[in-house]
Amino acid sequence: MTKYSATYAQDRAEIEDLMARYLFAMDYNDFDTYADTFTEDGTLEYARGAVTGRENIRASARTFKEAVGSLYQDVDGNPAILRHVLCQSVIRVEGDKAWHTGFWFETANDGPRLPDSGRLTPTLGTFGIYEDVLVRVDGEWKFQYRNIKNEFLTGRESGAANPVLAMDRLA
């Protein structure tokens, strides 16, 4: 059983807030806020490879979102609206360093139109695991390393073993 420090609840709340800001920033194309969730020398590893440094993360996120707009389209050919959801999360905090493993999925408005209203139906798109290392910088939690596992991409799957156990071994 994990032991929690007296400040765990505060740390967890701040880390969960960071993760929510990260997702809102990505979904609403706010690349400055997105990049600011990382340390200056942070690393983002995802389907297109790994990028290090806040400026490189900002540029990579922008390029990725532009590409996604051409891949995901609604029935009218418009870029689909994507929204990401973070589900269960396990967070381990030790002083000014933390580890996170969480399950995410993505929804989009790229389904068929409903016959009665003409509204687009949502679809469940992709899903996977976040593997994170976080550090507190000047009193704020930031991603030092974020690995986005995608269960639908060969070589980017999380694997068969419980990913929380791998996180505990890193900590």
Side-chain angles (χ1 to χ4, degrees):
M1 185 69 177
T2 303
K3 298 259 185 187
Y4 298 104
S5 71
T7 61
Y8 179 78
Q10 177 73 30
D11 290 328
R12 184 178 177 101
E14 291 173 7
I15 290 168
E16 287 178 351
D17 185 73
L18 172 74
M19 289 187 236
R21 290 173 185 280
Y22 165 94
L23 291 175
F24 278 116
M26 176 52 84
D27 287 346
Y28 287 88
N29 302 318
D30 179 359
F31 303 111
D32 291 334
T33 299
Y34 181 85
D36 192 49
T37 63
F38 288 84
T39 62
E40 285 289 340
D41 62 347
T43 297
L44 171 65
E45 184 176 341
Y46 70 119
R48 290 190 165 190
V51 291
T52 298
R54 200 176 274 164
E55 293 307 314
N56 293 328
I57 290 169
R58 178 183 290 109
S60 185
R62 183 183 310 276
T63 301
F64 181 73
K65 283 293 289 224
E66 290 168 359
V68 167
S70 67
L71 295 173
Y72 287 93
Q73 296 182 347
D74 67 19
V75 294
D76 299 324
N78 299 312
I81 297 171
L82 304 177
R83 298 294 183 249
H84 292 80
V85 179
L86 178 61
C87 297
Q88 61 267 27
S89 287
V90 176
I91 300 172
R92 184 169 175 168
V93 179
E94 293 181 12
D96 288 336
K97 191 167 187 174
W99 296 263
H100 167 256
T101 299
F103 175 78
W104 63 270
F105 69 89
E106 171 189 84
T107 62
N109 70 333
D110 59 351
R113 290 197 180 277
L114 294 171
D116 295 338
S117 68
R119 296 180 60 103
L120 293 171
T121 56
T123 60
L124 179 60
T126 59
F127 63 97
I129 300 290
Y130 290 128
E131 298 174 338
D132 301 315
V133 178
L134 304 103
V135 293
R136 192 183 340 247
V137 178
D138 297 328
E140 292 184 54
W141 286 102
K142 302 283 185 181
F143 294 109
Q144 184 177 50
Y145 173 77
R146 169 156 267 203
N147 187 6
I148 304 171
K149 297 287 193 168
N150 304 82
E151 299 299 339
F152 62 98
L153 293 176
T154 302
R156 298 294 306 153
E157 310 94 334
S158 63
N162 180 349
V164 173
L165 300 178
M167 179 195 75
D168 284 342
R169 283 190 298 275
L170 285 176

